Each structure stands twice: as structure tokens, then as C-alpha cells.
């Protein structure tokens, strides 16, 4: 496996992405997180040379890691602050959870649920390699919420869902933000919801295609 000490061959394209985002006024906190989490650690060896191409890449069990610009757009929309408690539904191999861990800082907590055992194992290994003690990966159906935490400041769903699961709306703090790709299996609309008076005020952020969410509130 790749280690944190073997990232130099990828730095040029990484810096190119960062330079592009700087021109579009992406926040310094997001750029810092992206710069400090080695994406090449999270992708298979045969596509590692494409780690910083702005495209999705395959991982395990027909799953994928989203393209960097999509991830940055979702994280920007979440408006993450240090100290936040965040639920991620769909850890995958742990890349976005690692970025979230950087963004919430040492006082924050990231809970990431993943239903596929092989991905859980890979995500835990990757988070351990990145030395992020504030990120916790669980094998669980995240679409039903996470009972050990009362409320979350932010919730992010990283797979296509037919509707925003009601248990997740219930666990989102008042004033909190939820991001999810909502639609059918073929095409989804990225939805940003802010909780006001117990309901989500929705903003639409464009069309995307994600792998389908599995679990009680996902696709069969």
C-alpha cells in the first residue's frame, strides 16, 4: 500500500487543482484539507496516476470515489466549522471522511457509516494511515441515522437516494445543513437542505450521477 511518504510524484496535478480552485475563491480551509489528505492513498494502484485528474475513480465492489470538484462543491455547501459533529452516510474508502476530519479540527467529530464490509475495512485502514483520531468509521446502515449521537451539525449523503431519509432530517440540528444527491438511479439532483422549524428548506445545486445508496432508505 502507498504511504504518506510516497506522495511526491502526484504533487504537480494536485497543485494544479488547488490553483484552479483558488481562482474560484474556494475557502482556504477546504484547500488546506485537500492539500493535506493524499487522495492517491485512497485509490487502487492501477489508477493511482489519475488520483488528481478531476474525474471519479473506481474503488472496491463496483463503488467509486467522486471527482475532486464534486467533493469540494459538497464540502463548500456544508459550510463546516471547527468543532462540528458530522454524519457521513457512505464512507466508501474514507476519502471524504478524511477531509471532513481535517475540516472539523481536533474538537470536532466525524461519524461515517458504510454498509459494505470491504469498504469499512479499507476506510478504517486509510483513516488510521492519515492519523485522524476524530474520524470514526462504522459498519452500519447510515440511512437510518446513528442512534449513539443525539444531533448532528451537518449530514452528508455520498450516494444516490430516492428521497432524503426522514431519520436523518430528525437527527439534524435546527439550523444544520444536509447535502444529498436525490433522484432515481440514473440521475440525481444535488440537494442542500437547511433545517428550519423541523423541516428542510431546499436549494438545488445541479445534476449528478452517484452510485445508489444501499440500506433501508436506499435503492433495492
Amino acid at each position: 500500500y502507498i504511504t504518506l511518504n510516497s506522495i511526491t510524484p502526484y504533487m504537480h496535478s494536485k497543485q494544479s487543482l488547488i490553483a484552479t480552485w483558488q481562482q474560484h475563491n474556494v475557502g482556504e480551509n477546504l484547500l488546506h484539507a485537500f492539500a493535506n489528505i493524499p487522495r492517491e492513498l485512497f485509490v487502487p494502484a492501477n489508477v493511482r496516476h489519475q488520483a488528481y485528474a478531476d474525474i471519479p475513480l473506481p474503488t472496491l465492489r463496483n463503488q467509486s470515489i467522486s471527482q475532486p470538484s464534486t467533493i469540494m462543491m459538497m464540502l463548500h455547501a456544508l459550510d463546516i466549522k471547527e468543532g462540528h459533529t458530522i454524519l457521513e452516510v457512505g464512507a466508501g474508502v474514507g476519502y471524504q471522511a478524511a477531509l471532513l476530519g481535517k475540516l472539523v479540527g481536533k474538537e470536532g467529530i466525524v461519524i461515517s457509516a458504510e454498509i459494505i464490509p470491504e469498504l469499512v475495512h479499507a476506510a478504517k485502514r486509510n483513516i488510521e494511515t492519515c492519523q485522524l483520531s476524530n474520524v470514526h468509521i462504522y459498519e452500519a446502515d447510515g440511512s437510518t441515522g446513528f442512534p449513539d449521537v443525539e444531533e448532528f451539525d451537518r449530514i452528508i449523503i455520498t450516494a444516490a437516494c430516492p428521497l432524503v431519509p426522514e431519520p436523518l432530517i430528525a437527527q439534524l440540528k435546527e439550523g444544520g445543513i444536509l447535502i444529498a444527491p436525490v433522484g432515481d438511479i440514473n440521475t440525481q439532483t444535488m440537494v442542500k437542505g437547511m433545517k428550519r422549524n423541523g423541516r428542510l428548506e431546499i436549494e438545488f445545486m445541479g445534476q449528478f450521477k452517484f452510485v445508489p445508496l444501499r440500506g433501508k432508505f436506499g435503492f433495492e
Side-chain angles (χ1 to χ4, degrees):
Y1 297 112
I2 197 166
T3 68
L4 289 177
N5 295 321
S6 55
I7 65 171
T8 28
Y10 309 95
M11 289 306 294
H12 175 70
S13 50
K14 185 175 194 174
Q15 291 304 323
S16 297
L17 275 176
I18 291 172
T20 299
W21 293 332
Q22 283 174 326
Q23 293 173 5
H24 291 84
N25 298 315
V26 172
E28 285 299 321
N29 61 333
L30 292 175
L31 296 177
H32 183 265
F34 181 77
N36 283 277
I37 297 297
R39 183 175 164 89
E40 61 274 16
L41 173 71
F42 296 82
V43 300
N46 64 321
V47 294
R48 201 161 284 150
H49 63 287
Q50 295 180 289
Y52 294 101
D54 201 12
I55 56 173
L57 294 172
T59 55
L60 302 169
R61 290 281 301 272
N62 297 316
Q63 302 299 297
S64 62
I65 183 172
S66 295
Q67 71 185 81
S69 288
T70 299
I71 291 173
M72 295 298 276
M73 183 209 70
M74 294 175 77
L75 296 180
H76 174 77
L78 276 179
D79 189 25
I80 298 163
K81 310 295 185 191
E82 289 193 4
H84 271 170
T85 299
I86 297 182
L87 174 63
E88 179 187 43
V89 180
V93 292
Y95 177 64
Q96 194 154 254
L99 293 171
L100 290 167
K102 284 289 186 184
L103 291 167
V104 300
K106 293 181 179 179
E107 301 302 315
I109 297 173
V110 177
I111 303 293
S112 188
E114 174 55 58
I115 207 167
I116 300 174
E118 293 94 326
L119 294 178
V120 173
H121 176 76
K124 285 184 175 181
R125 183 188 68 230
N126 292 333
I127 293 301
E128 185 177 344
T129 300
C130 291
Q131 301 177 343
L132 292 165
S133 59
N134 62 344
V135 178
H136 308 279
I137 310 291
Y138 291 90
E139 185 177 338
D141 178 4
S143 74
T144 63
F146 191 78
D148 293 348
V149 176
E150 184 177 354
E151 289 184 314
F152 290 93
D153 297 290
R154 302 288 187 263
I155 297 176
I156 181 167
I157 304 174
T158 65
C161 46
L163 295 168
V164 177
E166 285 293 335
L168 299 184
I169 299 174
Q171 275 204 283
L172 184 65
K173 282 184 180 178
E174 186 71 11
I177 296 173
L178 180 149
I179 301 286
V182 178
D184 58 34
I185 286 183
N186 296 313
T187 309
Q188 305 90 42
T189 300
M190 190 68 70
V191 168
K192 174 182 178 178
M194 180 171 285
K195 191 170 180 180
R196 300 288 191 199
N197 300 315
R199 300 170 61 88
L200 287 185
E201 293 182 356
I202 296 296
E203 175 184 334
F204 299 108
M205 300 170 57
Q207 301 295 305
F208 293 85
K209 182 175 175 60
F210 280 72
V211 297
L213 181 68
R214 296 174 56 176
K216 182 177 180 179
F217 291 91
F219 292 95
E220 294 184 2

